[in-house]
């Protein structure tokens, strides 16, 4: 993997490949896609070229039965500078997909990142060894079972940046991680434009806040139900 974090003032355009597969979680891939694509559309020259990749060229049916027509197969894709591996129920099938795992091991990218249980796939491929990582709350134990010591699985972070390998928590956390990458590569001014277009209240910290937010509503009856 190449170095990550050298802010580019040049006209370099990075290829952003987002891997999709059957039963992928929609926001896991669509959130990062939106962040990188909006950033590309708002800046000239466009800093990113965003596309989807699948094991084959066949349509992919996501969680909720949304059908995605991938731009490329793993055999035809251009070289990615940033590679995003999302999660979802279908990520478990990838743990025994030798073709996909071998393809992942062969990717020479500047930034390798996972969303949700996509971390399980990177772990199975041996790409998280020695890093501090996270995943969806339901997948912590699964991830621990897949990584060797001294790899550390943390449960209190929205995303974890190891330099060129990043992992995020579940579903919506991929948006925050992707915005962090935009800021790290392109700076605050570019980030501000993306946040304004997305109308998103991003924070630069990686504090995990959803458990507290969910607890505020758990067990309560809404006024419309009384």
């Amino acid at each position: 993997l190449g170095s990550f974090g050298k802010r580019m003032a040049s006209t370099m355009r990075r290829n952003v490949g987002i891997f999709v597969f059957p039963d992928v979680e929609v926001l896991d891939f669509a959130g990062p896609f939106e962040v990188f694509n909006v950033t590309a559309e708002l800046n000239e020259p466009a800093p990113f070229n965003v596309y989807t990749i699948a094991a084959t060229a066949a349509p992919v049916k996501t969680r909720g039965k949304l059908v995605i027509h991938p731009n490329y197969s793993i055999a035809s894709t251009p070289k990615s500078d940033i590679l995003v591996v999302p999660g979802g129920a279908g990520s478990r099938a990838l743990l025994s997909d030798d073709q996909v795992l071998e393809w992942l091991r062969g990717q020479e990218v500047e930034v390798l990142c996972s969303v949700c249980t996509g971390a399980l796939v990177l772990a199975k491929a041996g790409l998280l060894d020695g890093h501090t990582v996270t995943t969806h709350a339901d997948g912590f134990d699964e991830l621990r079972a897949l990584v060797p010591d001294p790899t550390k699985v943390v449960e209190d972070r929205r995303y974890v940046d190891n330099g060129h390998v990043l992992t995020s928590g579940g579903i919506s956390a991929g948006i925050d991680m992707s915005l962090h990458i935009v800021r790290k590569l392109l700076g605050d001014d570019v980030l501000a434009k993306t946040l304004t277009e997305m109308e998103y209240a991003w924070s630069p910290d990686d504090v995990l806040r959803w458990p507290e937010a969910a607890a505020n509503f758990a067990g309560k009856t809404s006024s419309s139900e009384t």
Side-chain angles (χ1 to χ4, degrees), residues 107-124:
Q107 298 309 294
E108 296 182 357
V109 297
E110 179 184 8
V111 184
L112 177 66
C113 50
S114 65
V115 181
C116 195
T117 55
L120 305 181
V121 184
L122 296 187
K124 183 66 175 181

Side-chain angles (χ1 to χ4, degrees), residues 128-225:
L128 299 184
D129 293 2
H131 294 299
T132 298
V133 297
T134 195
T135 186
H136 191 284
D138 291 342
F140 290 142
D141 289 341
E142 289 178 274
L143 184 55
R144 287 191 179 94
L146 287 169
V147 294
D149 292 333
T151 308
K152 181 179 180 182
V153 178
V154 295
E155 301 184 6
D156 60 349
R157 305 273 291 279
R158 188 74 167 151
Y159 56 86
V160 181
D161 182 352
N162 291 278
H164 53 257
V165 175
L166 294 88
T167 56
S168 84
I171 308 180
S172 61
I175 297 173
D176 291 344
M177 178 185 65
S178 299
L179 289 165
H180 168 75
I181 293 170
V182 167
R183 185 191 192 199
K184 193 169 183 178
L185 292 177
L186 302 173
D188 287 351
D189 289 343
V190 171
L191 173 67
K193 289 194 288 185
T194 301
L195 295 177
T196 300
E197 177 70 13
M198 292 180 62
E199 298 188 352
Y200 192 75
W202 183 77
S203 172
D205 65 55
D206 57 9
V207 176
L208 197 67
R209 294 188 174 88
W210 70 261
E212 180 181 353
N216 288 336
F217 296 95
K220 295 183 179 179
T221 303
S222 69
S223 58
S224 64
E225 295 174 334

Side-chain angles (χ1 to χ4, degrees), residues 36-97:
F36 291 115
N37 188 64
V38 164
T39 303
E41 290 183 353
L42 293 177
N43 295 276
E44 184 62 40
F48 301 119
N49 171 42
V50 191
Y51 49 84
T52 54
I53 311 167
T56 71
V60 170
K61 188 177 291 185
T62 74
R63 179 183 186 182
K65 298 181 174 58
L66 176 69
V67 177
I68 300 297
H69 294 268
N71 298 109
Y72 301 102
S73 70
I74 59 175
S76 67
T77 182
K79 182 182 184 302
S80 297
D81 300 294
I82 300 171
L83 181 61
V84 181
V85 180
S91 62
R92 277 67 172 188
L94 297 179
L95 302 182
S96 58
D97 190 326

